[in-house]
Amino acid sequence: MEAIDNNLVSCIIPSYKRTDTLRRAINSVLKQTYKNIEVLIVDDNFNGDEYSEQVRNIVVSFDNPRIRLISQPMHINGAEARNAGVRAAKGEYIAFLDSDDEWAPNKLELQVQVLVQR
């Protein structure tokens, strides 16, 4: 696996009114066996509403430099939130995770191995 460790994976998690499951989603990314990741949380709530505040508080509570919060000026939709994450991403690869879902611990490792072999 050493040969693929240099490929940064940008994990984009859009969040719209799902703060109750967001922490679990973030943890599933941080627990990946593949470690060269950044996590972009895209706040797709209405600017300044209770959900935006909760998303910000959750991100800050992790105190992890690999996690970045991307704030939208207003709620648009999930597709635009994903696009905002892609625009901010620094990774060689992009992976999407919904805020109410979670990944198996070796998901990214397996996927990056397949991509590198191509």
Side-chain angles (χ1 to χ4, degrees):
M1 172 131 152
E2 290 177 31
I4 62 174
D5 279 345
N6 292 327
N7 295 313
L8 180 66
V9 176
S10 298
C11 307
I12 299 169
I13 306 174
S15 180
Y16 177 67
K17 295 188 178 184
R18 282 197 188 134
T19 54
D20 57 327
T21 57
L22 180 59
R23 187 176 305 279
R24 182 188 69 193
I26 295 169
N27 276 321
S28 80
V29 176
L30 295 176
K31 292 178 181 176
Q32 290 296 297
T33 55
Y34 187 86
K35 298 297 183 189
N36 195 12
I37 60 173
E38 68 173 351
V39 185
L40 291 88
I41 311 303
V42 183
D43 180 7
D44 190 37
N45 296 291
F46 293 96
N47 197 0
D49 73 2
E50 67 182 275
Y51 293 103
S52 279
E53 292 298 316
Q54 290 172 12
V55 168
R56 185 175 51 76
N57 290 338
I58 289 169
V59 170
V60 168
S61 74
F62 277 93
D63 192 28
N64 188 319
R66 296 187 299 167
I67 302 174
R68 288 191 289 147
L69 176 62
I70 310 299
S71 296
Q72 302 259 79
M74 59 188 237
H75 167 68
I76 301 174
N77 61 42
E80 182 52 38
R82 286 175 183 80
N83 288 339
V86 169
R87 286 190 295 273
K90 297 178 182 175
E92 171 98 14
Y93 303 115
I94 304 289
F96 295 107
L97 175 63
D98 289 339
S99 59
D100 65 341
D101 204 353
E102 60 186 305
W103 287 342
N106 63 342
K107 175 204 187 305
L108 291 180
E109 180 178 3
L110 295 172
Q111 288 183 322
V112 170
Q113 284 176 349
V114 169
L115 290 169
V116 169
Q117 292 172 359
R118 293 184 167 235

